[in-house]
Amino acid sequence: RDQKNMDLVDSGTLQTIRLQPSHIAAIVANEETKQYIQCAASVIAASSRNIFVVGTGSSFHASQMTQFLFRDAGLLRTWAVSSFDFALYPQPLEANDVVIVYSHRGTKSFSVKAIEKSKELGCALVLITGQGSSLTQFRSDKIFVIETVPNEISSCHTSSYTGALSVATLIAIESAKQLNKLDNAQSLQTCFDHLLALLPAAIDNASWSTLSHAAAEVVANPTARLVFVGAGAGGITATELALKVKEACYITAEGFPVEQFLHGPLVGYGKGDHVVIFSSRRNGEESQRVFEVCRACVLIGMKVWVIGELPDGSTVDSLAGISFANVWGTQFNTELDPSGFFANLCFTIHSQVFACYCAQLLQTDPDSFREEHEEYSAAVKSLKL
């Protein structure tokens, strides 16, 4: 069978990836969710200080994405902090701050500790979590619990990530409106509407051929290393995809913001290694820097995959050695999506599919979290996550 044009075998992870358009549509249409979003936005609009966004794992990546999103909305005092750091180390936290906590199921110990710390100080809390989450126990007149999507079969979380960020988008839009930042609100609404219109294409197998090609090349050489790189919100997508590949395929992958990659990590890679670069812009300093990274990797002898845009004016010669996938995620006006938040939500869904292709080729189970291996099962059971 041609590995570069293969069909994906069904899994819980793949089923959930395919459900993301309907999950996000359900979030947008849910009347109770709308009420909680209004309440959360009112608290944010009334706050005169900071918004802390907290999470662990993919939920921390969601926190980092939300920092970009909220600042695009004009909420400039937004800070992403890991649950562990927020719970254990001093933070400039006061009673009139707002704390947003992401948790897929509400079971992570340091996310719960972060909630308890914020609650003790009297902060307003917005808890964004999956349906049936244990975090609903905290619901009160100052703690808003917003449930997103059904509990996922797999711990390789996909829909709960995009669902949480969809809720964050609705909160950002409503907060900007209440703060009379109407241009910001309109830009976000335009991008979100465009995202909703594009989502069905994200789960169309016809758009996945480049992803299957890339996966086949990545796994063909078991000694080749894999790294993901992006600018702006793309730097967070890079770290999130590296996590998905590790969870689904059990292989080592790294993810870096573009400038972090250049200052040290670049020299750890060599000929035959693979780099996937996310690019949401066609002009400006960000685009130029991404292109410079592409060229540097080609000169080293790495296999370069670009998902998104390359600079205006690029020539055939300048693109030599670069595999280019202009996916539908780049159809956003960069003036309306300055950090690339929405383009990277699109990239994220394709990246999840890429991880499934790699898992299939490596014959790993993306749903198992390696529980079929006794030593890993024992290790996880020894921990209170």
Side-chain angles (χ1 to χ4, degrees), residues 5 13 22 30 39 41 44 54 59 73 85 93 110 142-144 226 228 231-232 254 265 274 296 310 326 328 363 369:
N5 293 285
T13 300
S22 60
N30 187 287
C39 293
I44 288 171
V54 180
S59 293
D85 287 356
L93 192 63
F110 287 100
K142 204 173 180 181
I143 302 178
F144 308 103
L226 176 60
F228 303 94
E254 293 187 289
H274 298 270
L310 286 174
N326 188 347
W328 50 273
Q363 298 183 327
F369 225 60

Side-chain angles (χ1 to χ4, degrees), residues 167-239:
V167 167
T169 300
L170 295 170
I171 293 173
I173 292 169
E174 185 57 33
S175 298
K177 287 179 181 177
Q178 294 191 25
L179 288 166
N180 204 34
K181 298 178 183 291
L182 301 183
D183 289 344
N184 302 72
Q186 185 57 55
S187 294
L188 295 179
Q189 187 68 63
T190 299
C191 288
F192 191 53
D193 289 344
H194 190 44
L195 173 69
L196 294 176
L198 289 171
L199 280 173
I203 59 169
D204 182 355
N205 289 22
S207 68
W208 292 356
S209 60
T210 301
L211 302 172
S212 66
H213 287 207
E217 292 205 18
V218 165
V219 305
N221 180 358
T223 65
R225 289 161 296 184
L226 176 60
V227 63
F228 303 94
V229 178
I236 313 307
T237 302
T239 56

Side-chain angles (χ1 to χ4, degrees), residues 37 176 353:
I37 286 168
V353 174

Side-chain angles (χ1 to χ4, degrees), residues 113-338:
K113 287 178 187 282
I115 293 168
E116 292 169 345
K117 179 176 182 176
S118 305
K119 187 178 175 183
E120 287 173 7
L121 284 170
C123 301
L125 276 154
V126 180
L127 311 182
I128 301 176
T129 189
Q131 293 176 12
S133 165
S134 61
L135 294 188
T136 54
Q137 66 179 301
F138 290 104
R139 190 171 273 152
S140 71
D141 59 354
K142 204 173 180 181
I143 302 178
F144 308 103
V145 183
I146 305 175
E147 297 176 79
T148 58
V149 303
N151 192 9
E152 296 190 42
I153 296 170
S154 172
S155 289
C156 182
H157 293 289
T158 54
S159 186
S160 55
Y161 180 79
T162 55
L165 289 174
S166 297
V167 167
T169 300
L170 295 170
I171 293 173
I173 292 169
E174 185 57 33
S175 298
K177 287 179 181 177
Q178 294 191 25
L179 288 166
N180 204 34
K181 298 178 183 291
L182 301 183
D183 289 344
N184 302 72
Q186 185 57 55
S187 294
L188 295 179
Q189 187 68 63
T190 299
C191 288
F192 191 53
D193 289 344
H194 190 44
L195 173 69
L196 294 176
L198 289 171
L199 280 173
I203 59 169
D204 182 355
N205 289 22
S207 68
W208 292 356
S209 60
T210 301
L211 302 172
S212 66
H213 287 207
E217 292 205 18
V218 165
V219 305
N221 180 358
T223 65
R225 289 161 296 184
L226 176 60
V227 63
F228 303 94
V229 178
I236 313 307
T237 302
T239 56
E240 171 64 11
L241 178 51
L243 177 60
K244 292 304 108 176
V245 168
K246 282 177 269 202
E247 290 174 335
C249 313
Y250 320 151
I251 61 175
T252 300
E254 293 187 289
F256 295 100
V258 63
E259 205 64 16
Q260 283 296 105
F261 176 66
L262 287 179
H263 291 269
L266 176 66
V267 301
Y269 292 90
K271 186 175 182 179
D273 291 337
H274 298 270
V275 57
V276 179
I277 299 178
F278 300 103
S279 174
S280 60
R281 290 178 179 268
R282 297 181 64 180
N283 49 57
E285 285 188 83
E286 176 187 310
S287 176
Q288 188 59 42
R289 195 57 159 172
V290 168
F291 184 63
E292 290 168 1
V293 172
C294 292
R295 297 305 312 156
C297 291
V298 168
L299 290 171
I300 289 169
M302 299 178 71
K303 177 66 178 179
V304 180
W305 298 86
V306 173
I307 297 181
E309 299 283 4
L310 286 174
D312 288 336
S314 299
T315 65
V316 173
D317 288 341
S318 69
L319 299 179
I322 299 173
S323 296
F324 177 49
N326 188 347
V327 299
W328 50 273
T330 56
Q331 299 177 30
F332 288 90
N333 183 326
T334 55
E335 291 183 4
L336 303 182
D337 185 24

